[in-house]
Amino acid sequence: MKYFMIALSLAFCLASLSSAAEVRIRYSNGNYNATTYFGGSGHPGTVFKPTSGQYPVFLKKAHFGLYRNVVGVQVKVWSTTGNTPGSLLATFPATTKVWPTWTDVDISTASIVIKADNFFLSTNNPQMGALGTGVRGAYPQTYPGYHYRSSDDIRWSAWTLTDWAIECTVETNYVSVAPASLGRVKALYR
């Protein structure tokens, strides 16, 4: 019984140390009342800046407000230093849904954990050609310096008119515990 109580206390302490929470991060007022149309080379992106108390964050789902239905796009996750996209961490194929339905993309399969600094989400529309697609935005912009556009995923410029409808669900204070580790803890207290 003594060892059971020690193991239970240890588990409780570990659980209280990491107050993990699922959070949907956005940089807008949430009122997506505008649409910006891009041609086939439009790549909107948003930088995400978790607060210091949220690290490490596990990236779970990307959300895009797009104004074209059943179009193949690529959702990209980038490392970021400051506001500038750095290395491409993962690319996910997705099929758009027309606004007001979010285009949700499960990015958890890449097991991306951001331990410090920022990260960046973007999309392009390789199957659109000259027709382009619309990206929802909140007007007037209240988060300058978070939203960018590119035509080639290399040169990014700040978008200054609206806040993009690009959001991300993360798990904050993420601690990865391998099942084998729990087995070792149990073995120690038998």
Side-chain angles (χ1 to χ4, degrees), residues 44-108:
T46 297
V47 64
F48 290 84
K49 303 176 181 183
T51 62
S52 60
Q54 292 179 317
Y55 290 109
V57 295
F58 176 74
L59 307 188
K60 296 183 88 173
K61 193 172 281 191
H63 313 277
F64 290 83
L66 302 172
Y67 210 70
R68 189 84 189 266
N69 202 20
V70 194
V71 173
V73 297
Q74 293 175 342
V75 169
K76 298 179 180 183
V77 182
W78 307 80
S79 66
T80 308
T81 302
N83 290 350
T84 307
S87 300
L88 181 63
L89 300 176
T91 301
F92 302 88
T95 302
T96 64
K97 296 178 181 158
V98 70
W99 185 261
T101 302
W102 286 93
T103 299
D104 294 327
V105 181
D106 180 6
I107 58 176
S108 67

Side-chain angles (χ1 to χ4, degrees), residues 111-167:
S111 300
I112 299 171
V113 177
I114 305 296
K115 295 180 181 175
D117 216 344
N118 307 326
F119 64 97
F120 193 86
L121 293 179
S122 70
T123 186
N124 63 357
N125 42 12
Q127 296 178 13
M128 295 302 295
L131 293 176
T133 189
V135 180
R136 294 302 289 185
Y139 179 83
Q141 186 180 57
T142 56
Y143 286 88
Y146 285 81
H147 308 283
Y148 293 82
R149 65 180 172 169
S150 175
S151 61
D152 57 11
D153 283 350
I154 297 169
R155 292 175 298 274
W156 294 88
S157 60
W159 181 254
T160 58
L161 301 177
T162 59
D163 293 323
W164 295 133
I166 301 175
E167 302 180 359

